[in-house]
Amino acid sequence: MTDAATQVGAGHHPLEQFLLLAKSTKGAAMVALVKQVIEAPGVYVFGELLEMPNVQELGTGPNAPYFNALNLFAYGIYQDYKANPSQFPEFSPVALAKLRHLTVVSLAAKNKCISYSELLKELDMLNLRELEDLIIECIYADVIRGKLDQKNQQIEIDYTIGRDIRPEAISDIINVLQDWCDSCEVTLGTIDEQIRRANKYKETHVKTKQQVESEVANLKKAIKASSSSQDVEDQHMTDSREMEAQAVKPQKKTSKIKGLRGSGKFWTKSN
């Protein structure tokens, strides 16, 4: 391993220091850099490194297996390695463990519940204890989040990191996103139409309410005016009746009391 490769330190982005070194590294030094990056803790994306000219030069010549290795860690899974081991250099146990981690990530991106049987097959493992230890390593590395369900022999996924995307898959992603945008446009158009209908209904409802309130107010005024007119008419009729009754009422005659005046005549008793 070269001095340049050994100077790689932990930066804000785990891959950042490797990108800086790759700008001025070629040949055997680049091979050493690839070995280090595929084993480095916390480095799970490699697309930026693969795009660099000095790395692309590894694709031809005797160092091609290391270029294939970087492609494998960027886009592949463990079964890709098992299918064609001769295309790749010999990997250390640390590198193989990371490749298994990346395989778990790819599976977790497709299914939220992954059975132990599927994991054992995809990771080429036979021991459940080793499988659970590997899953725990993935959780501690924060490449996935979830919980082991030993009763049902599965892992339930809550979160997974994203992996590098193959260049040829970008057009498919664009098509999917375009379809999603088209669906959003249709949905927004439907929502706008519903809003327009709702506003029209509200406007009609407000006008109807105002009309009803106006008619009620006018009706109240009419009833009030009619009531006042009736009161005046009733009062007038009452006054007329009182006047008529007063006119036909008999007047009492004044009684004259005649006083008895004393007679000047005296009656004498005859003898």
Side-chain angles (χ1 to χ4, degrees):
M1 185 174 296
T2 65
D3 293 338
T6 57
Q7 292 174 0
V8 175
H12 178 69
H13 190 288
L15 190 62
E16 183 177 356
Q17 294 296 325
F18 293 103
L19 295 175
L20 294 175
L21 289 173
K23 290 180 180 179
S24 57
T25 304
K26 292 186 177 184
M30 181 60 73
V31 169
L33 186 65
V34 170
K35 288 181 180 179
Q36 186 174 0
V37 75
I38 63 177
E39 295 180 1
V43 179
Y44 288 92
V45 289
F46 309 88
E48 289 182 79
L49 187 61
L50 268 171
E51 293 174 356
M52 302 191 70
N54 290 349
V55 177
Q56 290 289 321
E57 290 179 0
L58 293 177
T60 57
N63 294 324
Y66 293 94
F67 180 77
N68 296 338
L70 206 53
N71 269 282
L72 175 67
F73 278 76
Y75 311 119
I77 58 176
Y78 194 82
Q79 286 300 318
D80 295 332
Y81 164 68
K82 293 294 293 183
N84 296 289
S86 60
Q87 292 185 3
F88 309 101
E90 184 178 355
F91 293 130
S92 68
V94 174
L96 289 176
K98 180 183 282 192
L99 184 58
R100 285 190 169 103
H101 292 178
L102 291 166
T103 303
V104 173
V105 169
S106 294
L107 294 172
K110 299 177 181 178
N111 300 295
K112 294 304 178 184
C113 289
I114 313 171
S115 65
Y116 281 6
S117 59
E118 182 179 3
L119 287 168
L120 288 171
K121 178 182 177 182
E122 293 294 331
L123 301 175
D124 193 29
M125 301 177 74
L126 300 175
N127 191 305
L128 281 179
R129 178 60 182 273
E130 291 180 358
L131 174 63
E132 290 183 342
D133 288 344
L134 179 74
I135 295 172
I136 292 172
E137 288 176 7
C138 292
I139 294 174
Y140 275 109
D142 203 30
V143 295
I144 63 168
R145 295 173 193 168
K147 61 181 180 180
L148 297 173
D149 184 353
Q150 294 179 325
K151 180 179 179 181
N152 295 314
Q153 297 285 286
Q154 65 181 13
I155 176 174
E156 298 177 2
I157 303 297
D158 297 326
Y159 158 85
T160 180
I161 63 171
R163 293 194 63 185
D164 294 298
I165 300 171
R166 294 181 182 273
E168 57 269 22
I170 294 177
S171 59
D172 294 334
I173 295 174
I174 291 175
N175 292 334
V176 171
L177 292 176
Q178 185 60 53
D179 291 341
W180 179 77
C181 290
D182 294 341
S183 299
C184 289
E185 289 293 336
V186 173
T187 302
L188 288 174
T190 302
I191 293 174
D192 288 340
E193 177 64 20
Q194 293 295 329
I195 292 174
R196 187 188 66 79
R197 291 181 180 179
N199 289 336
K200 185 176 180 180
Y201 172 79
K202 180 181 178 181
E203 182 180 352
T204 302
H205 177 72
V206 169
K207 288 182 178 179
T208 302
K209 182 180 178 182
Q210 291 175 346
Q211 183 178 357
V212 170
E213 290 176 349
S214 178
E215 291 177 357
V216 169
N218 292 335
L219 185 59
K220 286 181 178 180
K221 290 179 181 179
I223 293 173
K224 186 176 181 181
S226 177
S227 177
S228 299
S229 176
Q230 185 66 36
D231 290 343
V232 171
E233 185 177 349
D234 291 346
Q235 183 64 36
H236 180 69
M237 292 180 66
T238 301
D239 293 343
S240 297
R241 288 184 187 134
E242 289 180 353
M243 292 177 65
E244 290 175 0
Q246 188 68 28
V248 300
K249 184 177 180 180
Q251 296 183 354
K252 293 182 179 180
K253 294 182 180 181
T254 304
S255 60
K256 297 181 179 179
I257 302 176
K258 294 182 179 180
L260 295 177
R261 295 180 179 179
S263 176
K265 297 179 179 181
F266 291 96
W267 300 88
T268 58
K269 186 178 179 181
S270 37
N271 294 324

